[in-house]
Amino acid sequence: QITLKESGPTLVNPTQTLTLTCTFSGFSLTSIGVGVGWVRQPPRKALEWIALIYGNDDKRYSPSLKSRLTITKDTSKNQVVLTMTNMDPVDTATYYCVQRGGYWGQGTLVTVSS
Amino acid sequence: DIVMTQSPDSLAVSLGERATINCKSSQTVLHSSNNKNHLGWYQQKPGQSPKLLIYWASNRGSGVPDRFSGSGSGTDFTLTISSLQAEDVAVYYCQQYYTTPWTFGQGTKVEIK
């Protein structure tokens, strides 16, 4: 059974760096075809893809956010970590961890506010 | 980026009737390497994370009722709910995974008439 769970702060100050961790089970992120990524959804808005990391450590980023993002993996812990710098109130959203095969975590709401 | 455009933005259908949602991509999502359409459909109920309904444009996900079906190829796709049930009230999204950045449609809200 594949599961993913997001963890991280629920409140972030503007200009701060956000660090989110996805802890997964039921698969291994060591193969080229396997990937774990992040998707976000502002309140009452549509889904936006952010980043993806493959088992071979190939990394992909949203062009509009690329300069602010870093995605890494720790295969020994079955974790994927996303960092997003210079947070702004428009970044307020539910952040989902997503496995390339279509499995999603429950999401975590991150609010950016002072 | 590949732009995904869904229509309509919302629709109201009577219980037991058919619901049809369209999705158009700005370029083909049919990959020549495997001759598959890299297109999925998701269902999102209020307060829940999206659930995969359809992958490769027409394959139902695990446990998905057979009243849900996907069709289309290249740039034009359709999600059909053959007989709408009360539990199908949700927002539906199409998504291309042909290339990064993955992109989603704007969503279609399905309600009961």
Side-chain angles (χ1 to χ4, degrees):
Chain A
Q1 181 189 4
I2 292 176
T3 64
L4 306 100
K5 187 171 184 179
E6 307 86 353
S7 59
T10 58
L11 181 64
V12 177
N13 288 322
T15 75
Q16 277 192 330
T17 294
L18 171 69
T19 299
L20 293 174
T21 301
C22 173
T23 303
F24 58 85
S25 64
F27 66 96
S28 177
L29 191 50
T30 55
S31 303
I32 186 171
V34 181
V36 173
W38 293 89
V39 172
R40 70 179 180 179
Q41 184 174 37
R44 297 171 298 284
K45 292 189 177 180
L47 302 163
E48 178 187 18
W49 179 82
I50 299 173
L52 175 68
I53 187 167
Y54 287 101
N56 64 349
D57 213 38
D58 183 13
K59 302 169 185 178
R60 307 293 175 93
Y61 297 103
S62 166
S64 63
L65 297 170
K66 185 175 183 178
S67 64
R68 301 169 53 203
L69 298 174
T70 303
I71 189 169
T72 60
K73 64 181 175 74
D74 185 334
T75 53
S76 66
K77 294 181 179 179
N78 277 356
Q79 290 182 334
V80 170
V81 176
L82 178 77
T83 60
M84 182 181 295
T85 62
N86 194 25
M87 293 293 284
D88 183 273
V90 299
D91 296 313
T92 293
T94 296
Y95 287 76
Y96 295 100
C97 177
V98 182
Q99 193 249 24
R100 189 167 174 255
Y103 295 89
W104 292 54
Q106 62 189 25
T108 184
L109 176 61
V110 177
T111 301
V112 184
S113 175
S114 54
Chain B
D1 300 3
I2 297 178
V3 178
M4 308 299 290
T5 304
Q6 290 180 226
S7 60
D9 290 334
S10 65
L11 75 160
V13 177
S14 300
L15 289 172
E17 295 300 304
R18 178 184 299 261
T20 301
I21 302 170
N22 299 302
C23 175
K24 187 175 184 66
S25 58
S26 61
Q27 65 188 75
T28 186
V29 298
L30 176 60
H31 212 295
S32 57
S33 66
N34 59 6
N35 200 35
K36 290 186 176 185
N37 290 284
H38 292 224
L39 188 286
W41 287 96
Y42 286 89
Q43 175 194 63
Q44 187 177 31
K45 296 181 179 181
Q48 297 184 15
S49 56
K51 173 189 173 184
L52 180 66
L53 294 177
I54 302 288
Y55 61 96
W56 299 135
S58 60
N59 293 78
R60 267 189 299 275
S62 176
V64 175
D66 60 7
R67 63 180 180 274
F68 292 94
S69 64
S71 63
S73 184
T75 61
D76 292 278
F77 301 91
T78 300
L79 174 70
T80 302
I81 309 173
S82 61
S83 175
L84 191 74
Q85 304 300 304
E87 61 265 32
D88 301 334
V89 169
V91 178
Y92 293 82
Y93 295 94
C94 62
Q95 181 225 340
Q96 66 79 20
Y97 46 95
Y98 177 89
T99 186
T100 54
W102 293 350
T103 44
F104 295 86
Q106 78 277 19
T108 295
K109 187 174 185 178
V110 174
E111 299 172 308
I112 304 296
K113 185 186 291 183

